[in-house]
Amino acid sequence: MLENNSETLLRLAQNCSIKEDDSGDEIGDLLPTLIQIFLTIKLGWLAGFYKIIPQKDSKGLNIFVGKFSLPVLIFVSLANLDFSNVNWSFLLAITISKTIIFVCTAVVEYVVHSPKDLSRASIFAIFCTQTNDFGMGLPILDAVYGHNHPFVGLLYLVAPISLLILNPIGFVFMEAEKN
């Protein structure tokens, strides 16, 4: 019983969803996935608005998801990722495009907004390149391509571009403005 539950949890962590039939129309799975995503967001908002989940419990839930569940999902998925199948030119193109958007947004915001505020420009740049890769991207890619498609694995390599490269640059500019 315990082994069966462990196997199921491992499959869920690796795939984020278990499909009964992978041979169906993948595009036909997109609408239910989008409905599920936005319904989850709406229910979360309603739970906060009507204080169904107390503030103390909400903090605990945030710690569990942010410090345990999501890192385990990312670690297990990266550990199972076959790096020989990674399209490195695609990953480089994503990195270059996010960097161009980051720089252009920061420059335009810095030039257009008066008074000149480097902190504001870097916040705008971070907002423009920060995507919800795991919350929305993973279920959508899974619905459209299936959980074995290489694009699903690339998602775990695309997300750190913003988190490890671009966001720290923005944070440095924000701190530089303070001094």
Side-chain angles (χ1 to χ4, degrees), residues 112-141:
V112 169
H113 188 260
S114 184
K116 303 298 183 214
D117 187 2
L118 195 56
S119 293
R120 181 182 164 105
S122 55
I123 287 174
F124 273 75
I126 289 172
F127 283 168
C128 286
T129 56
Q130 193 68 38
T131 57
N132 193 355
D133 296 319
F134 299 114
M136 292 182 76
L138 193 59
I140 290 171
L141 284 176

mmCIF file of all heavy atoms in Angstrom, residues 112-141:
data_model
loop_
_atom_site.group_PDB
_atom_site.id
_atom_site.type_symbol
_atom_site.label_atom_id
_atom_site.label_comp_id
_atom_site.label_asym_id
_atom_site.label_seq_id
_atom_site.Cartn_x
_atom_site.Cartn_y
_atom_site.Cartn_z
ATOM 1 N N VAL A 112 11.702 57.146 -20.550
ATOM 2 C CA VAL A 112 10.377 57.768 -20.641
ATOM 3 C C VAL A 112 9.932 58.366 -19.309
ATOM 4 O O VAL A 112 9.366 59.459 -19.269
ATOM 5 C CB VAL A 112 9.336 56.732 -21.141
ATOM 6 C CG1 VAL A 112 7.929 57.248 -21.003
ATOM 7 C CG2 VAL A 112 9.638 56.351 -22.574
ATOM 8 N N HIS A 113 10.174 57.668 -18.220
ATOM 9 C CA HIS A 113 9.655 58.111 -16.920
ATOM 10 C C HIS A 113 10.526 59.217 -16.336
ATOM 11 O O HIS A 113 11.744 59.165 -16.377
ATOM 12 C CB HIS A 113 9.587 56.930 -15.948
ATOM 13 C CG HIS A 113 8.897 57.269 -14.677
ATOM 14 N ND1 HIS A 113 9.583 57.561 -13.531
ATOM 15 C CD2 HIS A 113 7.581 57.378 -14.369
ATOM 16 C CE1 HIS A 113 8.720 57.817 -12.567
ATOM 17 N NE2 HIS A 113 7.502 57.718 -13.053
ATOM 18 N N SER A 114 9.857 60.219 -15.801
ATOM 19 C CA SER A 114 10.577 61.300 -15.148
ATOM 20 C C SER A 114 10.041 61.451 -13.741
ATOM 21 O O SER A 114 8.822 61.434 -13.548
ATOM 22 C CB SER A 114 10.370 62.593 -15.928
ATOM 23 O OG SER A 114 11.116 63.625 -15.375
ATOM 24 N N PRO A 115 10.808 61.545 -12.718
ATOM 25 C CA PRO A 115 12.260 61.608 -12.656
ATOM 26 C C PRO A 115 12.893 60.235 -12.926
ATOM 27 O O PRO A 115 12.249 59.208 -12.756
ATOM 28 C CB PRO A 115 12.538 62.065 -11.230
ATOM 29 C CG PRO A 115 11.379 61.570 -10.442
ATOM 30 C CD PRO A 115 10.203 61.619 -11.393
ATOM 31 N N LYS A 116 14.140 60.255 -13.325
ATOM 32 C CA LYS A 116 14.858 59.029 -13.655
ATOM 33 C C LYS A 116 14.983 58.155 -12.416
ATOM 34 O O LYS A 116 15.475 58.594 -11.379
ATOM 35 C CB LYS A 116 16.254 59.340 -14.206
ATOM 36 C CG LYS A 116 16.238 60.250 -15.422
ATOM 37 C CD LYS A 116 15.489 59.604 -16.559
ATOM 38 C CE LYS A 116 15.530 60.482 -17.788
ATOM 39 N NZ LYS A 116 14.336 60.398 -18.577
ATOM 40 N N ASP A 117 14.493 56.924 -12.531
ATOM 41 C CA ASP A 117 14.486 56.004 -11.397
ATOM 42 C C ASP A 117 14.896 54.618 -11.887
ATOM 43 O O ASP A 117 14.122 53.933 -12.566
ATOM 44 C CB ASP A 117 13.084 55.975 -10.777
ATOM 45 C CG ASP A 117 13.025 55.183 -9.482
ATOM 46 O OD1 ASP A 117 14.068 54.677 -9.031
ATOM 47 O OD2 ASP A 117 11.917 55.084 -8.921
ATOM 48 N N LEU A 118 16.106 54.232 -11.550
ATOM 49 C CA LEU A 118 16.631 52.943 -11.982
ATOM 50 C C LEU A 118 15.886 51.783 -11.313
ATOM 51 O O LEU A 118 15.706 50.720 -11.911
ATOM 52 C CB LEU A 118 18.136 52.868 -11.676
ATOM 53 C CG LEU A 118 18.943 51.785 -12.344
ATOM 54 C CD1 LEU A 118 18.801 51.858 -13.851
ATOM 55 C CD2 LEU A 118 20.398 51.902 -11.946
ATOM 56 N N SER A 119 15.434 51.992 -10.084
ATOM 57 C CA SER A 119 14.671 50.944 -9.386
ATOM 58 C C SER A 119 13.369 50.637 -10.109
ATOM 59 O O SER A 119 13.009 49.481 -10.308
ATOM 60 C CB SER A 119 14.344 51.373 -7.952
ATOM 61 O OG SER A 119 15.493 51.456 -7.186
ATOM 62 N N ARG A 120 12.680 51.677 -10.500
ATOM 63 C CA ARG A 120 11.413 51.498 -11.219
ATOM 64 C C ARG A 120 11.643 50.795 -12.553
ATOM 65 O O ARG A 120 10.890 49.902 -12.932
ATOM 66 C CB ARG A 120 10.748 52.860 -11.421
ATOM 67 C CG ARG A 120 9.429 52.791 -12.135
ATOM 68 C CD ARG A 120 8.876 54.204 -12.334
ATOM 69 N NE ARG A 120 7.825 54.214 -13.316
ATOM 70 C CZ ARG A 120 6.536 54.327 -13.029
ATOM 71 N NH1 ARG A 120 6.150 54.441 -11.773
ATOM 72 N NH2 ARG A 120 5.643 54.333 -13.988
ATOM 73 N N ALA A 121 12.684 51.183 -13.265
ATOM 74 C CA ALA A 121 12.997 50.561 -14.553
ATOM 75 C C ALA A 121 13.319 49.082 -14.385
ATOM 76 O O ALA A 121 12.884 48.246 -15.180
ATOM 77 C CB ALA A 121 14.163 51.287 -15.216
ATOM 78 N N SER A 122 14.044 48.744 -13.338
ATOM 79 C CA SER A 122 14.391 47.329 -13.133
ATOM 80 C C SER A 122 13.179 46.518 -12.690
ATOM 81 O O SER A 122 13.047 45.350 -13.069
ATOM 82 C CB SER A 122 15.551 47.178 -12.153
ATOM 83 O OG SER A 122 15.272 47.814 -10.945
ATOM 84 N N ILE A 123 12.279 47.103 -11.936
ATOM 85 C CA ILE A 123 11.053 46.389 -11.556
ATOM 86 C C ILE A 123 10.207 46.098 -12.794
ATOM 87 O O ILE A 123 9.704 44.990 -12.965
ATOM 88 C CB ILE A 123 10.245 47.192 -10.513
ATOM 89 C CG1 ILE A 123 10.943 47.145 -9.161
ATOM 90 C CG2 ILE A 123 8.826 46.658 -10.391
ATOM 91 C CD1 ILE A 123 10.308 48.008 -8.111
ATOM 92 N N PHE A 124 10.066 47.083 -13.682
ATOM 93 C CA PHE A 124 9.327 46.867 -14.924
ATOM 94 C C PHE A 124 9.982 45.774 -15.757
ATOM 95 O O PHE A 124 9.310 44.936 -16.352
ATOM 96 C CB PHE A 124 9.226 48.166 -15.727
ATOM 97 C CG PHE A 124 8.063 49.022 -15.348
ATOM 98 C CD1 PHE A 124 8.079 49.760 -14.180
ATOM 99 C CD2 PHE A 124 6.948 49.102 -16.153
ATOM 100 C CE1 PHE A 124 7.010 50.547 -13.821
ATOM 101 C CE2 PHE A 124 5.867 49.891 -15.812
ATOM 102 C CZ PHE A 124 5.895 50.617 -14.631
ATOM 103 N N ALA A 125 11.313 45.781 -15.833
ATOM 104 C CA ALA A 125 12.033 44.771 -16.611
ATOM 105 C C ALA A 125 11.832 43.376 -16.022
ATOM 106 O O ALA A 125 11.625 42.405 -16.764
ATOM 107 C CB ALA A 125 13.517 45.123 -16.668
ATOM 108 N N ILE A 126 11.868 43.270 -14.711
ATOM 109 C CA ILE A 126 11.631 41.972 -14.063
ATOM 110 C C ILE A 126 10.209 41.501 -14.332
ATOM 111 O O ILE A 126 9.980 40.333 -14.661
ATOM 112 C CB ILE A 126 11.918 42.051 -12.545
ATOM 113 C CG1 ILE A 126 13.422 42.185 -12.303
ATOM 114 C CG2 ILE A 126 11.373 40.829 -11.822
ATOM 115 C CD1 ILE A 126 13.790 42.463 -10.864
ATOM 116 N N PHE A 127 9.240 42.400 -14.216
ATOM 117 C CA PHE A 127 7.846 42.023 -14.463
ATOM 118 C C PHE A 127 7.629 41.544 -15.895
ATOM 119 O O PHE A 127 6.837 40.640 -16.138
ATOM 120 C CB PHE A 127 6.909 43.195 -14.174
ATOM 121 C CG PHE A 127 6.666 43.439 -12.716
ATOM 122 C CD1 PHE A 127 6.055 44.605 -12.302
ATOM 123 C CD2 PHE A 127 7.037 42.529 -11.751
ATOM 124 C CE1 PHE A 127 5.812 44.844 -10.963
ATOM 125 C CE2 PHE A 127 6.812 42.757 -10.415
ATOM 126 C CZ PHE A 127 6.195 43.922 -10.019
ATOM 127 N N CYS A 128 8.309 42.144 -16.850
ATOM 128 C CA CYS A 128 8.119 41.765 -18.253
ATOM 129 C C CYS A 128 8.738 40.419 -18.600
ATOM 130 O O CYS A 128 8.341 39.793 -19.567
ATOM 131 C CB CYS A 128 8.685 42.846 -19.172
ATOM 132 S SG CYS A 128 7.647 44.303 -19.215
ATOM 133 N N THR A 129 9.723 39.983 -17.846
ATOM 134 C CA THR A 129 10.375 38.712 -18.167
ATOM 135 C C THR A 129 10.003 37.599 -17.198
ATOM 136 O O THR A 129 10.363 36.445 -17.423
ATOM 137 C CB THR A 129 11.903 38.865 -18.176
ATOM 138 O OG1 THR A 129 12.338 39.390 -16.923
ATOM 139 C CG2 THR A 129 12.335 39.779 -19.299
ATOM 140 N N GLN A 130 9.302 37.928 -16.134
ATOM 141 C CA GLN A 130 8.906 36.911 -15.154
ATOM 142 C C GLN A 130 7.652 36.215 -15.649
ATOM 143 O O GLN A 130 6.616 36.836 -15.821
ATOM 144 C CB GLN A 130 8.651 37.566 -13.791
ATOM 145 C CG GLN A 130 8.536 36.602 -12.670
ATOM 146 C CD GLN A 130 9.844 35.918 -12.371
ATOM 147 O OE1 GLN A 130 10.897 36.508 -12.439
ATOM 148 N NE2 GLN A 130 9.772 34.652 -12.045
ATOM 149 N N THR A 131 7.747 34.932 -15.894
ATOM 150 C CA THR A 131 6.606 34.167 -16.391
ATOM 151 C C THR A 131 6.184 33.131 -15.360
ATOM 152 O O THR A 131 6.960 32.752 -14.489
ATOM 153 C CB THR A 131 6.972 33.459 -17.706
ATOM 154 O OG1 THR A 131 8.111 32.633 -17.477
ATOM 155 C CG2 THR A 131 7.284 34.447 -18.799
ATOM 156 N N ASN A 132 4.980 32.666 -15.485
ATOM 157 C CA ASN A 132 4.467 31.629 -14.601
ATOM 158 C C ASN A 132 4.664 30.278 -15.293
ATOM 159 O O ASN A 132 3.708 29.656 -15.742
ATOM 160 C CB ASN A 132 2.994 31.899 -14.288
ATOM 161 C CG ASN A 132 2.500 31.050 -13.151
ATOM 162 O OD1 ASN A 132 3.210 30.192 -12.640
ATOM 163 N ND2 ASN A 132 1.273 31.281 -12.747
ATOM 164 N N ASP A 133 5.929 29.863 -15.381
ATOM 165 C CA ASP A 133 6.277 28.666 -16.143
ATOM 166 C C ASP A 133 5.655 27.405 -15.563
ATOM 167 O O ASP A 133 5.193 26.548 -16.304
ATOM 168 C CB ASP A 133 7.796 28.494 -16.193
ATOM 169 C CG ASP A 133 8.467 29.628 -16.931
ATOM 170 O OD1 ASP A 133 7.926 30.051 -17.962
ATOM 171 O OD2 ASP A 133 9.525 30.095 -16.480
ATOM 172 N N PHE A 134 5.664 27.283 -14.259
ATOM 173 C CA PHE A 134 5.193 26.041 -13.654
ATOM 174 C C PHE A 134 3.690 26.051 -13.413
ATOM 175 O O PHE A 134 3.032 25.045 -13.599
ATOM 176 C CB PHE A 134 5.938 25.759 -12.348
ATOM 177 C CG PHE A 134 7.405 25.596 -12.552
ATOM 178 C CD1 PHE A 134 8.295 26.504 -12.029
ATOM 179 C CD2 PHE A 134 7.892 24.537 -13.296
ATOM 180 C CE1 PHE A 134 9.654 26.353 -12.227
ATOM 181 C CE2 PHE A 134 9.250 24.381 -13.500
ATOM 182 C CZ PHE A 134 10.128 25.293 -12.965
ATOM 183 N N GLY A 135 3.151 27.182 -13.006
ATOM 184 C CA GLY A 135 1.730 27.240 -12.706
ATOM 185 C C GLY A 135 0.838 27.160 -13.927
ATOM 186 O O GLY A 135 -0.223 26.545 -13.902
ATOM 187 N N MET A 136 1.268 27.778 -15.022
ATOM 188 C CA MET A 136 0.456 27.771 -16.240
ATOM 189 C C MET A 136 1.149 27.042 -17.385
ATOM 190 O O MET A 136 0.506 26.320 -18.137
ATOM 191 C CB MET A 136 0.117 29.198 -16.658
ATOM 192 C CG MET A 136 -0.812 29.899 -15.700
ATOM 193 S SD MET A 136 -1.248 31.545 -16.226
ATOM 194 C CE MET A 136 -2.403 31.173 -17.508
ATOM 195 N N GLY A 137 2.447 27.252 -17.540
ATOM 196 C CA GLY A 137 3.159 26.665 -18.669
ATOM 197 C C GLY A 137 3.183 25.153 -18.655
ATOM 198 O O GLY A 137 2.971 24.495 -19.683
ATOM 199 N N LEU A 138 3.425 24.574 -17.503
ATOM 200 C CA LEU A 138 3.523 23.118 -17.401
ATOM 201 C C LEU A 138 2.206 22.416 -17.740
ATOM 202 O O LEU A 138 2.197 21.505 -18.568
ATOM 203 C CB LEU A 138 4.021 22.735 -16.009
ATOM 204 C CG LEU A 138 4.456 21.304 -15.823
ATOM 205 C CD1 LEU A 138 5.582 20.935 -16.766
ATOM 206 C CD2 LEU A 138 4.905 21.082 -14.394
ATOM 207 N N PRO A 139 1.074 22.824 -17.159
ATOM 208 C CA PRO A 139 -0.177 22.158 -17.543
ATOM 209 C C PRO A 139 -0.553 22.366 -19.010
ATOM 210 O O PRO A 139 -1.074 21.452 -19.655
ATOM 211 C CB PRO A 139 -1.235 22.788 -16.624
ATOM 212 C CG PRO A 139 -0.495 23.375 -15.508
ATOM 213 C CD PRO A 139 0.857 23.735 -16.036
ATOM 214 N N ILE A 140 -0.262 23.550 -19.552
ATOM 215 C CA ILE A 140 -0.611 23.810 -20.953
ATOM 216 C C ILE A 140 0.249 22.963 -21.883
ATOM 217 O O ILE A 140 -0.261 22.331 -22.810
ATOM 218 C CB ILE A 140 -0.482 25.315 -21.277
ATOM 219 C CG1 ILE A 140 -1.594 26.087 -20.560
ATOM 220 C CG2 ILE A 140 -0.540 25.561 -22.770
ATOM 221 C CD1 ILE A 140 -1.458 27.577 -20.631
ATOM 222 N N LEU A 141 1.564 22.926 -21.649
ATOM 223 C CA LEU A 141 2.438 22.090 -22.484
ATOM 224 C C LEU A 141 2.086 20.620 -22.348
ATOM 225 O O LEU A 141 2.121 19.865 -23.316
ATOM 226 C CB LEU A 141 3.905 22.319 -22.120
ATOM 227 C CG LEU A 141 4.529 23.607 -22.626
ATOM 228 C CD1 LEU A 141 5.958 23.744 -22.116
ATOM 229 C CD2 LEU A 141 4.498 23.674 -24.125
#
